[in-house]
Amino acid sequence: MTTSSANPDTGRATVLCLELADAEDALGPVRADHNAPSVARGIPLHLTLLHPFLPRSECDAGVAGRIQRTCSRHGALSFSLASVALSSRGQVAVLAEPSAGIRALMDALEREFPGAEILGREAPFTAVGRALESEDDPTVFERIRARVVPLLPIRCDVDSVALFEEVMPGTWRATRRFSLDR
C-alpha cells in the first residue's frame, strides 16, 4: 500500500486489500526491519487489490454495498506466498501462487470501480521491503531475499477484503471488512 498518494478532496487515502494474518509471524519481522514506516502507520502485512481507491469522503454505505456484492461473488482465497521478486516500483515482493483467484477478484473490483489502480495484477504480491533503501548498497534486495526464501512457502487463507483508510495523516486502519463468501 503506497501511502504517498493522498486524496485531494480530504487529504486522506483509501485502499482495498487482503490482510495476510497467516504470514504475519514469519514475514512481520522482515517487514519491520525493511519497511518500518509502513508498519508504524498501522498497515498490516497485506496484498493490495486497489490503490488508490476512492476518496475517503466517498466511502459511504452505497459504496460498501457495492464492494460487498462484488466480494460475495468470490469465494475465500487459498494461496501460498511462494517466491521473491523485485517489483516494478523497487519493492521486494513475495509473490502469491496460485494467483488466478486473486486476479479474478481484482478484475471484478476494477469493473465495479473503474479508474482505481491495480498493483501487481499479473503477479499479486505482498511487499516486505524496499530494494533501494540505500542507493549506496545494491545488495539490499539479495539480503532481504536470502532472509525470506527459507521461510517460504507460507500458506494463506483469506475470507475477507479490508477497506483501509488513512484516518489521520500517516495513520491507517481497517474501517470495514467484506466477506468473500460465494
Side-chain angles (χ1 to χ4, degrees):
M1 182 178 339
T2 307
T3 58
S4 61
S5 42
N7 270 301
D9 70 337
T10 64
R12 304 289 189 266
T14 64
V15 63
L16 288 175
C17 65
L18 302 175
E19 293 176 278
L20 303 178
D22 294 338
E24 189 69 49
D25 286 348
L27 296 178
V30 177
R31 200 167 156 259
D33 290 345
H34 297 283
N35 200 0
S38 182
V39 174
R41 290 183 189 105
I43 302 167
L45 187 69
H46 67 281
L47 188 151
T48 301
L49 298 171
L50 295 179
H51 182 265
F53 185 49
L54 296 173
R56 186 174 179 219
S57 61
E58 293 179 22
C59 291
D60 59 14
V63 166
R66 290 170 58 198
I67 297 169
Q68 184 57 67
R69 280 190 297 281
T70 302
C71 291
S72 293
R73 293 184 211 116
H74 296 268
L77 298 165
S78 293
F79 53 88
S80 291
L81 298 176
S83 61
V84 181
L86 184 61
S87 81
S88 62
R89 295 181 180 207
Q91 298 167 310
V92 179
V94 183
L95 304 177
E97 299 171 11
S99 61
I102 299 166
R103 287 193 325 267
L105 178 59
M106 288 174 165
D107 291 344
L109 288 165
E110 182 185 41
R111 282 191 301 278
E112 184 65 32
F113 299 97
E117 183 178 347
I118 294 180
L119 303 176
R121 178 193 308 267
E122 295 306 314
F125 67 89
T126 184
V128 294
R130 303 265 325 145
L132 305 175
E133 290 176 1
S134 168
E135 292 184 24
D136 298 331
D137 187 354
T139 66
V140 173
F141 172 75
E142 286 304 323
R143 282 198 328 263
I144 298 171
R145 183 179 180 283
R147 190 169 168 194
V148 171
V149 166
L151 305 172
L152 303 179
I154 301 169
R155 181 166 174 87
C156 295
D157 295 305
V158 180
D159 62 3
S160 66
V161 169
L163 172 66
F164 270 76
E165 297 182 9
E166 186 180 26
V167 293
M168 56 184 165
T171 302
W172 291 75
R173 78 166 186 250
T175 56
R176 298 279 311 258
R177 288 186 176 79
F178 305 94
S179 295
L180 295 166
D181 54 23
R182 175 177 37 171

